[in-house]
Amino acid sequence: MRAEFTGEVLDDDTLMRILDAAHRAPSVGNSQPWDFIVVRDPDTLTRFAAHVADKRVEFGESLPPERARTFEPIKIEGITESGTGIVVTHDDSRGGPHILGRATVPETGLYSTILAIQNLWLAATAEGVGVGWVSFYDAPFLTELIDLPPGIRPVAWLCVGAVHEFQETPDLERFGWRERRPLREAVHWEKFAPDSSV
Amino acid sequence: MRAEFTGEVLDDDTLMRILDAAHRAPSVGNSQPWDFIVVRDPDTLTRFAAHVADKRVEFGESLPPERARTFEPIKIEGITESGTGIVVTHDDSRGGPHILGRATVPETGLYSTILAIQNLWLAATAEGVGVGWVSFYDAPFLTELIDLPPGIRPVAWLCVGAVHEFQETPDLERFGWRERRPLREAVHWEKFAPDSSV
């Protein structure tokens, strides 16, 4: 996806439909702990892209030679090409001290924000709009870049924009990074047991 | 949703289509760190429901009186009524030591599993099948109940089954627990600033 952006910037009507779908995600205790920061300032996009490029080099250098060769041609971001970044953030204090359903599993707050991201992703795809999630960044850098206040945590940078085409096979499978796991290995019956798969 | 299950157990073809949609979620480094344990044994369902009932009481007792009254009529699970539990688990070691995209933001592994849950939820909805996420449980109890091995972490119990109807308004809004936040408050432009909303 990250190689397919046309450079045409998403119109605001489509953008808002996609954000509305994200905002309709279910959330623990109906806490709706997410926010969306739309970034289009070329200076901000360029600064973030430069930071991500550094992190890409660091990761490449951490790999054994065979993995480094596989990694080399894989494009990991389309920050400037897409022209629109959506930073999704999480506020763990939203909803106050008594969040219905979060007392036993506190992480369900953060999980809710991730559900909104997948809603966004699927709504964009339904609109013919491409999404690429960039995770090669240090959180403090992004926090400073878009002035996140204390308590608001960055969760994702999504590159969102018009694309030439949707690939049928995920990039990391096409480039030989990692294969698809068969569904039958992921499904278990009654108990978790590797040999109970369908 | 949790009050609407008809008691009719989901057929296996529909179940597998829903799990296939979940399994097609994007994941960091294509690591596909999720598993799905389908639970239908009446004894297991009953034991889990009893545990959840205890946790419901604990939560109710922790609330100030006004909140406790609002909470009282809200149904929080449909474990036995739905007849099918899907436990979604996360394996943070899947994909080995070099996961593309996880070096800087380690939580993206767990985030991937949550993306699969939202795929599952939307696929079920598209099939006319109801889903209710139960989070009133202690993780060690669920781990033991379905024999999760070390390193496999429970992330969600989803009640999945035929429903009488889909509510238009979320339960927690209908019962006055918590209102919907306007989209314009969640959207920011260029920087995070409460007064920069659309």
Side-chain angles (χ1 to χ4, degrees):
Chain A
M1 184 51 60
R2 300 166 180 93
E4 317 292 348
F5 290 112
T6 65
E8 191 192 335
V9 174
L10 194 60
D11 66 276
D12 281 354
D13 284 352
T14 308
L15 173 68
M16 292 308 291
R17 282 197 301 276
I18 291 170
L19 291 174
D20 184 59
H23 189 58
R24 288 174 187 273
S27 59
V28 66
N30 202 21
S31 54
Q32 308 160 70
W34 46 70
D35 279 278
F36 310 103
I37 299 92
V38 180
V39 180
R40 286 172 165 166
D41 182 329
D43 181 58
T44 312
L45 297 177
T46 305
R47 285 178 61 203
F48 188 63
H51 172 74
V52 168
D54 288 345
K55 294 292 145 182
R56 186 188 201 289
V57 170
E58 277 178 25
F59 181 69
E61 289 175 352
S62 78
L63 294 173
E66 181 273 328
R67 289 266 86 184
R69 274 191 300 274
T70 307
F71 177 56
E72 206 275 323
I74 299 176
K75 190 164 165 61
I76 60 154
E77 54 90 5
I79 297 163
T80 58
E81 299 92 323
S82 67
T84 301
I86 300 178
V87 183
V88 182
T89 61
H90 175 67
D91 180 355
D92 216 49
S93 72
R94 189 161 305 145
H98 305 291
I99 295 179
L100 194 163
R102 219 185 66 177
T104 37
V105 188
E107 302 87 349
T108 49
L110 185 54
Y111 296 170
S112 305
T113 293
I114 313 300
L115 298 177
I117 292 176
Q118 187 61 358
N119 262 22
L120 187 160
W121 208 325
L122 293 173
T125 305
E127 298 264 8
V129 171
V131 174
W133 182 330
V134 180
S135 56
F136 282 79
Y137 62 83
D138 291 331
F141 180 92
L142 182 52
T143 297
E144 185 274 332
L145 185 70
I146 56 168
D147 288 354
L148 296 182
I152 304 281
R153 155 182 188 177
V155 166
W157 179 294
L158 306 174
C159 305
V160 181
V163 286
H164 293 294
E165 59 174 328
F166 284 86
Q167 295 287 348
E168 291 288 314
T169 306
D171 275 10
L172 297 193
E173 209 174 315
R174 279 191 300 135
F175 283 95
W177 179 264
R178 192 171 163 83
E179 292 296 300
R180 186 171 155 76
R181 188 177 178 223
L183 175 61
R184 66 174 182 282
E185 289 182 13
V187 178
H188 311 257
W189 301 91
E190 302 301 344
K191 309 271 180 182
F192 190 101
D195 56 357
S196 76
S197 306
V198 285
Chain B
M1 185 50 61
R2 301 167 180 91
E4 318 292 347
F5 290 112
T6 64
E8 191 192 335
V9 173
L10 193 60
D11 66 276
D12 281 354
D13 285 350
T14 309
L15 173 69
M16 292 308 291
R17 282 197 301 276
I18 292 169
L19 291 174
D20 184 60
H23 188 59
R24 288 173 187 273
S27 60
V28 66
N30 202 22
S31 54
Q32 309 160 70
W34 48 69
D35 280 278
F36 310 103
I37 300 91
V38 180
V39 181
R40 286 174 165 164
D41 182 328
D43 181 58
T44 312
L45 297 177
T46 304
R47 286 178 61 202
F48 188 63
H51 172 74
V52 168
D54 288 345
K55 294 291 145 185
R56 187 187 199 291
V57 170
E58 278 179 24
F59 181 70
E61 289 175 352
S62 77
L63 295 173
E66 183 272 327
R67 290 266 86 184
R69 274 191 299 275
T70 307
F71 177 57
E72 206 277 322
I74 299 176
K75 188 164 166 61
I76 59 153
E77 54 90 3
I79 298 163
T80 58
E81 300 91 323
S82 66
T84 302
I86 300 178
V87 183
V88 182
T89 62
H90 175 67
D91 179 355
D92 216 48
S93 74
R94 190 164 303 148
H98 304 292
I99 295 179
L100 194 162
R102 220 185 68 178
T104 39
V105 188
E107 302 86 349
T108 48
L110 186 53
Y111 296 169
S112 305
T113 293
I114 312 301
L115 297 177
I117 292 176
Q118 187 61 358
N119 262 22
L120 187 159
W121 208 325
L122 293 173
T125 306
E127 299 264 7
V129 171
V131 174
W133 182 331
V134 180
S135 55
F136 282 79
Y137 63 82
D138 292 331
F141 180 91
L142 182 52
T143 297
E144 185 273 333
L145 185 69
I146 58 167
D147 288 352
L148 296 182
I152 303 281
R153 156 183 188 175
V155 166
W157 178 294
L158 306 174
C159 305
V160 181
V163 287
H164 292 294
E165 58 174 330
F166 284 86
Q167 294 288 348
E168 292 287 316
T169 307
D171 275 9
L172 297 193
E173 209 173 315
R174 280 192 299 135
F175 283 96
W177 179 264
R178 190 170 165 83
E179 290 297 300
R180 186 171 156 77
R181 187 178 179 222
L183 175 61
R184 65 174 183 283
E185 290 183 12
V187 178
H188 311 258
W189 300 91
E190 303 300 344
K191 308 269 180 184
F192 189 101
D195 55 357
S196 76
S197 304
V198 286

